[in-house]
Amino acid sequence: MTSPAERYAAARKRQQDALSRLGAFRATLDFPLDDFQIEACEAVEAGRGVLVAAPTGAGKTVVGEFAVELGLKTGRKAFYTTPIKALSNQKFTDLQRRYGPEHVGLLTGDTSINGDAPIVVMTTEVLRNMLYSDSPALAGLGFVVMDEVHYLADRFRGPVWEEVILHLADDVQVISLSATVSNAEEFGDWLTEVRGDTAVVVSEIRPVPLWQHVMVNKTVLDLYSSNVDPTRPGVNPPINPDLVEAIRASERGGRPGERSRGARGDRRGGKGRYYQRGPLVRPPSRPVMVDRMDRAGLLPAIVFLFSRAGCEAAVTQVLLSGISLTSPAERAQITAIVEERCASLPAEDLDVLNYWSWQQALLHGVAAHHAGLLPVFKETVEALFTAGLVKVVFATETLALGINMPARSVVLEKLTKWDGRAHAEVTPGEYTQLTGRAGRRGIDVEGHAVVLYSSGLDPVAVAGLASRRTYPLRSRFRPTYNMAVNLISASGWTRTREVLETSFAQFQADRGVVGLARQARTLSEGLTGYTESMTCHLGDFEEYMDVRSAIRARESELSRSRSRAQREAINTAVAHLRRGDVVQIPTGRRAGYAVVLEPPGPPGLDGPALTLLTGDGKVRKLSGADVPYGTSSLTRVRIPKAFNSRRPADRRDLTSSMRNALGALADDAPRTRHGERTPSSATTDAELGRLRQALRSHPCHGCSDRDNHARWAERRAQLAQEHDALLRRIEGRTSSIARDFEKVCEVLRALHYLEGTGEETSVTDQGAWLRRLYAEKDLVLAECLRSGSWADLDAAGLAAVVSTVLFSSRSDDERPAPRMPGGPNGSLARAVEATVLISQELELLEHEHGLQPAEPVDLGLVRSIHQWAIGSSLEDVLDGTDLAAGDFVRWAKQVIDLLDQLTLAAPTPALRSTARSAIESVRRGIVTHGTL
């Protein structure tokens, strides 16, 4: 029971809330806000920046939508940024529905709709480009919502997020929406440092509880024991004993309840794996899995397969099994939606797009979803799944990134995936991201994550993935050429360095240095103590130790010289040996006499090698390093032409011949004394003699406590080495971004995009148009334009060669150079050859300046883009390639985006005109469909 005063205060607060802008916003919603949403929205209304970290489906976007509403009500612009075009399109549609088409715009790489509206949805790269070009559209900007801000950790595109955060005007409120990350507070601290007061709101509570399961054969079993709360499993939660028994029974081919003899299921073989004996247990077939999920009431479901081909094969397998998940009424709805959305697709392309089989799968409630699909196909699948008409989607992990497409269940066929270099285990962060789609708020009481069992799956490891929330946000920020010229041009050298030093990457590096600095202080204190202990009252003991060290160094140098002389003598002696020579090996494991069976081969790293027959009748191979000093030839024996070292009788006869030859030698025959070495020069070396005299005449040499001082001095020297190494590590971290920036600028100076040094650094005329080129290989692009390598191309040729600085093949396999349209001496072939040469020269230049070179240009799209640009059909364009239609469309849109940059940034009016023509030649047919 609360007191009257507390009830009165609560009533007053409710009254104030109702009158606030948040209260008005809440009144328009048909659902109550959660506590974290209220906390974040109140911070936005208070004028603070906000970082919201919450699970997928928790409703983070409500906070961004409130910021948009606040901007509209207060007359300030609001930009809503997303990492991918599909999410931008989706958010554009949502906001249009709420605020009307006249108030909402869309800007992506290839789409511009109502860009001057008070609310504009855009990809993050578009906003970055607007900031660098000082776009007039930034006037009046009050709010920027950065959806999926954890993309900041993306290896390729992550730096863009930091660039935007660092360069937005100080009076712009930044609302950052992130998946649950384990270092949200650290990220919030950085935002506060660079953007001002920022509230950090973290929620780990899923609005729909998530249950974890494993499907063993045809049975879906809970992962955790019955006494575990699945929403808060804690650390090392106990595993369901029924699941353990089902796995054991499956592995031995029996039934649950049978006694297990010799079971080895608890022998782990790495994260998520068991070492198994006997026949492997495979996961249930895809049709069986779909049928069991349907019977258990767990549909609709997203099944992650991590393979495009796997997704398409899964759809085919389900259809061939005869499974249909839709009613006649649902099939009629699906038909109407598909025909409406795909009505504008060119009829001649439907066969090559596999339209009919795709539609047939949809009618049965099954679909694939991956980056190789045509955009209109993907968007149709998303719409049908969200409407509950498609019941199972087989998807790659790209579906987990941002698209609002929740399901009742998520199925993972396996817990390993190809990361572009090797098969890697799914991380806890990835597992959380993938299974976060399970559970539709307002529809499902609970969500379900199902992992399919196969031999090697460890349920304890699955529990570890499901119960841990270790997804730290790590910056991938790095200076680029375009960034350097833009920052220096806009802010000057000093300000640019200051901006770079405030990046999240540097912030994290500086924090990581704290522990190292603490170690360095501890070592420094130890050095002080050791210095006191080695102090000698007779003189400077450190100087005395320096002389001792110099003596040791000189002795080591003389010893190495002696060893080199011995090795050279051995190599010379061995090189002169011939087949049949009898040699004496004076020392070592092979000491004794032997016959040379094969003359020495070419000298390797260890000198020439010998094949010998030893006195005990064994054939031995000795490398140069195995032959001791003093080995010499004593006599010779004749080796028969028919001699075969593999025949024991031949070896015995030759050994006997060797003994007879040795016995025939006179007693005074020369012999090498065992262990003989080249004479030492230490006694005659003048420099060593001078140092020894200096040591004896030093005052500290006569100290009675000299040995004790020396022990402390040696400890101090070792500690000083550790201290210096630690300081180098600290220096490497604290100035890593600045050093990389310096290297980037050195490359730009070498190419005359920058001139001057330090405070005098400025952007040249050539560097001024590099500012307008935004591409992964921006410098290759700039050099191709500056050199005139593309000047003679027609529109189709320009579109084709532009693809080389964009395209990246999905396969790392070496491929033969494609056949160039126009022949090997045509203008396109010459332009492509020049582009490759420029890329190689830049790679060498980057190596010289200590930079990681960009990936080489890829010619894999040249022929396809050229064919498309001259009007070929989609079937002809894709024929003979491994490109999916969706991949081709995606790359073609990126070519259009880059060509659009050239209409402004190309150095000549003629090339700018060609770029405009190239855009029109590529923007046709299927490339214009499937997006807003």
Side-chain angles (χ1 to χ4, degrees):
M1 177 70 80
T2 57
S3 68
E6 290 172 329
R7 289 197 296 274
Y8 175 75
R12 288 277 295 174
K13 187 176 187 309
R14 284 195 299 271
Q15 185 180 29
Q16 291 170 357
D17 289 346
L19 296 174
S20 68
R21 295 195 183 278
L22 176 56
F25 175 71
R26 293 172 69 176
T28 66
L29 303 176
D30 56 4
F31 56 88
L33 294 181
D34 293 335
D35 290 345
F36 86 90
Q37 294 168 322
I38 294 171
E39 181 186 352
C41 287
E42 286 177 344
V44 173
E45 188 170 10
R48 305 173 67 191
V50 177
L51 168 64
V52 183
T56 301
K60 299 184 289 289
T61 55
V62 168
V63 183
E65 289 165 3
F66 174 64
V68 167
E69 174 121 342
L70 203 57
L72 200 60
K73 296 296 184 184
T74 58
R76 291 182 291 170
K77 286 184 180 178
F79 289 172
Y80 197 110
T81 72
T82 73
I84 52 179
K85 293 178 183 178
L87 189 54
S88 292
N89 296 339
Q90 193 174 71
K91 184 52 64 177
F92 172 68
T93 303
D94 293 344
L95 293 176
Q96 264 198 336
R97 191 182 301 118
R98 180 178 178 89
Y99 298 109
E102 70 279 6
H103 290 115
V104 184
L106 175 68
L107 294 174
T108 61
D110 57 0
T111 305
S112 177
I113 301 173
N114 199 16
D116 294 325
I119 303 167
V120 184
V121 182
M122 62 186 68
T123 51
T124 315
E125 280 85 355
V126 169
L127 179 54
R128 186 273 310 272
N129 299 352
M130 292 171 68
L131 289 166
Y132 280 152
S133 63
D134 197 20
S135 169
L138 296 170
L141 181 62
F143 300 90
V144 169
V145 179
M146 303 195 74
D147 203 354
E148 307 287 340
V149 74
H150 52 271
Y151 254 78
L152 183 142
D154 183 78
R155 184 157 57 107
F156 299 108
R157 298 173 59 209
V160 175
W161 272 254
E162 290 191 52
E163 289 179 77
V164 168
I165 291 169
L166 290 171
H167 299 135
L168 281 169
D170 293 340
D171 59 348
V172 176
Q173 282 180 248
V174 176
I175 292 83
S176 305
L177 310 179
S178 170
T180 305
V181 293
S182 55
N183 62 333
E185 291 76 11
E186 179 187 40
F187 187 44
D189 289 345
W190 174 69
L191 287 171
T192 297
E193 185 169 296
V194 298
R195 300 291 319 163
D197 186 18
T198 300
V200 179
V201 180
V202 178
S203 173
E204 294 192 2
I205 300 173
R206 285 178 50 92
V208 179
L210 181 63
W211 289 76
Q212 304 285 343
H213 310 280
V214 177
M215 182 182 287
V216 184
N217 293 327
K218 301 179 180 180
T219 306
V220 179
L221 296 156
D222 290 343
L223 173 63
Y224 302 131
S225 179
S226 59
N227 61 347
V228 175
D229 178 358
T231 62
R232 297 180 181 276
V235 180
N236 300 323
I239 303 302
N240 178 8
D242 293 338
L243 172 61
V244 175
E245 180 56 32
I247 290 173
R248 288 175 176 167
S250 178
E251 289 292 343
R252 65 175 177 257
R255 298 179 180 177
E258 292 182 1
R259 181 179 177 83
S260 174
R261 291 184 298 174
R264 303 181 67 86
D266 58 346
R267 295 196 56 182
R268 311 261 170 86
K271 185 169 74 172
R273 315 299 299 165
Y274 277 133
Y275 291 129
Q276 298 290 340
R277 290 184 177 179
L280 294 177
V281 176
R282 299 189 179 279
S285 70
R286 288 150 182 172
V288 167
M289 178 270 297
V290 170
D291 179 64
R292 292 300 166 180
M293 295 288 289
D294 187 26
R295 290 170 183 263
L298 297 178
L299 299 183
I302 299 170
V303 184
F304 286 108
L305 300 184
F306 306 119
S307 159
R308 295 181 182 187
C311 292
E312 297 293 345
V315 170
T316 302
Q317 291 161 11
V318 172
L319 291 181
L320 291 176
S321 73
I323 291 175
S324 183
L325 303 172
T326 54
S327 66
E330 288 174 326
R331 286 194 284 275
Q333 286 182 270
I334 291 170
T335 299
I337 292 172
V338 170
E339 289 180 350
E340 178 188 355
R341 284 179 169 265
C342 300
S344 59
L345 289 178
E348 65 272 16
D349 290 337
L350 295 182
D351 287 337
V352 71
L353 293 173
N354 293 319
Y355 170 83
W356 306 110
S357 58
W358 171 75
Q359 182 192 49
Q360 190 65 23
L362 294 177
L363 291 172
H364 286 81
V366 184
H369 189 290
H370 53 74
L373 282 179
L374 200 65
V376 69
F377 284 9
K378 281 197 294 185
E379 292 164 8
T380 302
V381 169
E382 292 160 11
L384 292 172
F385 189 83
T386 304
L389 297 172
V390 166
K391 311 301 171 67
V392 176
V393 170
F394 294 96
T396 58
E397 63 182 314
T398 54
L399 188 146
L401 303 175
I403 297 298
N404 182 23
M405 194 171 150
R408 177 169 296 166
S409 305
V410 164
V411 179
L412 278 74
E413 192 172 67
K414 56 185 178 180
L415 295 179
T416 57
K417 65 185 183 70
W418 179 257
D419 65 0
R421 293 172 300 229
H423 288 283
E425 303 282 352
V426 170
T427 65
E430 290 167 337
Y431 185 90
T432 301
Q433 187 83 2
L434 294 167
T435 58
R437 295 282 159 206
R440 296 165 296 175
R441 188 167 191 173
I443 301 175
D444 298 320
V445 176
E446 57 195 23
H448 301 271
V450 181
V451 179
L452 304 187
Y453 179 78
S454 61
S455 290
L457 183 78
D458 181 358
V460 175
V462 177
L465 289 174
S467 60
R468 289 164 60 198
R469 295 292 181 265
T470 52
Y471 180 54
L473 198 58
R474 296 285 176 239
S475 172
R476 296 303 187 102
F477 184 82
R478 66 191 186 283
T480 65
Y481 300 111
N482 174 275
M483 184 194 303
V485 293
N486 269 295
L487 287 177
I488 292 172
S489 178
S491 307
W493 176 263
T494 302
R495 174 61 183 152
T496 295
R497 286 183 61 94
E498 290 172 355
V499 168
L500 294 175
E501 287 168 359
T502 59
S503 67
F504 187 43
Q506 194 61 64
F507 183 83
Q508 288 188 309
D510 291 344
R511 283 203 164 187
V513 160
V514 171
L516 296 179
R518 190 180 303 115
Q519 293 179 43
R521 284 196 300 272
T522 302
L523 293 182
S524 181
E525 293 168 1
L527 286 173
T528 302
Y530 286 176
T531 301
E532 293 175 359
S533 299
M534 64 179 271
T535 302
C536 177
H537 65 288
L538 295 179
D540 186 344
F541 202 83
E542 188 170 357
E543 182 183 75
Y544 179 75
M545 290 300 296
D546 288 342
V547 177
R548 285 182 54 163
S549 297
I551 290 173
R552 280 197 295 268
R554 184 59 181 167
E555 288 174 340
S556 296
E557 183 182 349
L558 293 173
S559 178
R560 286 192 297 271
S561 298
R562 183 184 180 192
S563 297
R564 281 194 299 271
Q566 287 189 176
R567 178 53 47 198
E568 289 170 3
I570 292 170
N571 291 343
T572 300
V574 169
H576 286 87
L577 293 175
R578 296 169 298 166
R579 177 180 167 90
D581 280 350
V582 177
V583 297
Q584 180 185 20
I585 301 174
T587 60
R589 290 185 305 157
R590 311 297 183 200
Y593 299 98
V595 179
V596 177
L597 296 181
E598 295 178 12
L605 290 176
D606 295 325
L610 281 176
T611 302
L612 305 172
L613 177 67
T614 60
D616 57 359
K618 301 284 181 64
V619 176
R620 304 290 187 188
K621 285 186 178 292
L622 271 65
S623 69
D626 296 329
V627 179
Y629 180 74
T631 299
S632 59
S633 174
L634 303 178
T635 184
R636 300 193 74 242
V637 295
R638 178 181 171 279
I639 301 178
K641 290 184 179 180
F643 175 80
N644 187 335
S645 63
R646 295 185 177 183
R647 288 200 292 261
D650 287 8
R651 295 198 302 271
R652 284 195 300 271
D653 290 346
L654 187 57
T655 303
S656 177
S657 297
M658 177 182 67
R659 282 195 293 267
N660 292 337
L662 289 170
L665 290 175
D667 292 339
D668 60 348
R671 294 286 192 275
T672 303
R673 292 189 298 274
H674 284 210
E676 182 180 2
R677 301 186 64 191
T678 56
S680 172
S681 60
T683 55
T684 59
D685 184 71
E687 174 64 14
L688 185 59
R690 185 190 65 76
L691 289 171
R692 285 173 173 170
Q693 178 58 39
L695 186 74
R696 286 191 294 270
S697 61
H698 196 280
C700 294
H701 193 67
C703 179
S704 59
D705 211 15
R706 182 184 66 195
D707 292 342
N708 191 41
H709 293 328
R711 280 192 293 272
W712 284 111
E714 287 169 357
R715 292 174 189 171
R716 183 189 180 282
Q718 184 176 356
L719 196 65
Q721 286 183 346
E722 296 176 18
H723 184 252
D724 291 344
L726 205 54
L727 292 180
R728 285 193 296 272
R729 286 178 63 191
I730 292 172
E731 170 65 19
R733 290 195 183 186
T734 53
S735 57
S736 57
I737 300 294
R739 278 201 313 277
D740 287 346
F741 175 67
E742 276 286 358
K743 294 173 184 177
V744 165
C745 289
E746 285 300 321
V747 171
L748 291 173
R749 288 188 187 100
L751 297 171
H752 307 294
Y753 292 105
L754 293 178
E755 60 185 5
T757 58
E759 295 289 344
E760 303 302 317
T761 301
S762 61
V763 178
T764 64
D765 291 341
Q766 294 164 337
W769 51 264
L770 173 58
R771 294 182 60 192
R772 298 194 292 271
L773 298 175
Y774 302 99
E776 185 74 23
K777 301 180 180 69
D778 49 7
L779 199 54
V780 176
L781 178 60
E783 284 293 283
C784 288
L785 294 174
R786 186 172 71 164
S787 64
S789 301
W790 299 352
D792 298 330
L793 293 170
D794 59 11
L798 182 60
V801 78
V802 158
S803 74
T804 63
V805 298
L806 290 170
F807 181 67
S808 178
S809 173
R810 297 182 67 238
S811 171
D812 292 332
D813 297 338
E814 287 286 335
R815 300 186 179 199
R819 188 175 69 255
M820 288 293 146
N825 298 317
S827 59
L828 178 57
R830 292 197 305 272
V832 168
E833 184 180 0
T835 303
V836 171
L837 182 61
I838 286 170
S839 174
Q840 293 170 344
E841 290 172 348
L842 289 177
E843 181 180 353
L844 291 174
L845 185 62
E846 288 173 321
H847 266 305
E848 288 175 13
H849 289 87
L851 285 171
Q852 178 67 35
E855 292 292 320
V857 294
D858 195 321
L859 312 186
L861 198 63
V862 170
R863 180 175 172 274
S864 297
I865 288 290
H866 187 271
Q867 282 189 295
W868 181 256
I870 62 174
S872 299
S873 68
L874 181 64
E875 183 175 11
D876 289 340
V877 167
L878 299 182
D879 184 42
T881 74
D882 58 1
L883 282 172
D887 285 328
F888 173 74
V889 169
R890 177 165 53 88
W891 288 115
K893 288 178 182 292
Q894 291 188 38
V895 168
I896 291 171
D897 187 18
L898 193 49
L899 287 168
D900 190 49
Q901 294 181 36
L902 299 192
T903 62
L904 299 175
T908 65
L911 193 55
R912 292 196 288 271
S913 176
T914 305
R916 284 189 287 271
S917 300
I919 290 173
E920 295 307 314
S921 65
V922 177
R923 186 184 282 149
R924 68 175 183 87
I926 199 72
V927 173
T928 64
H929 296 281
T931 188
L932 291 168

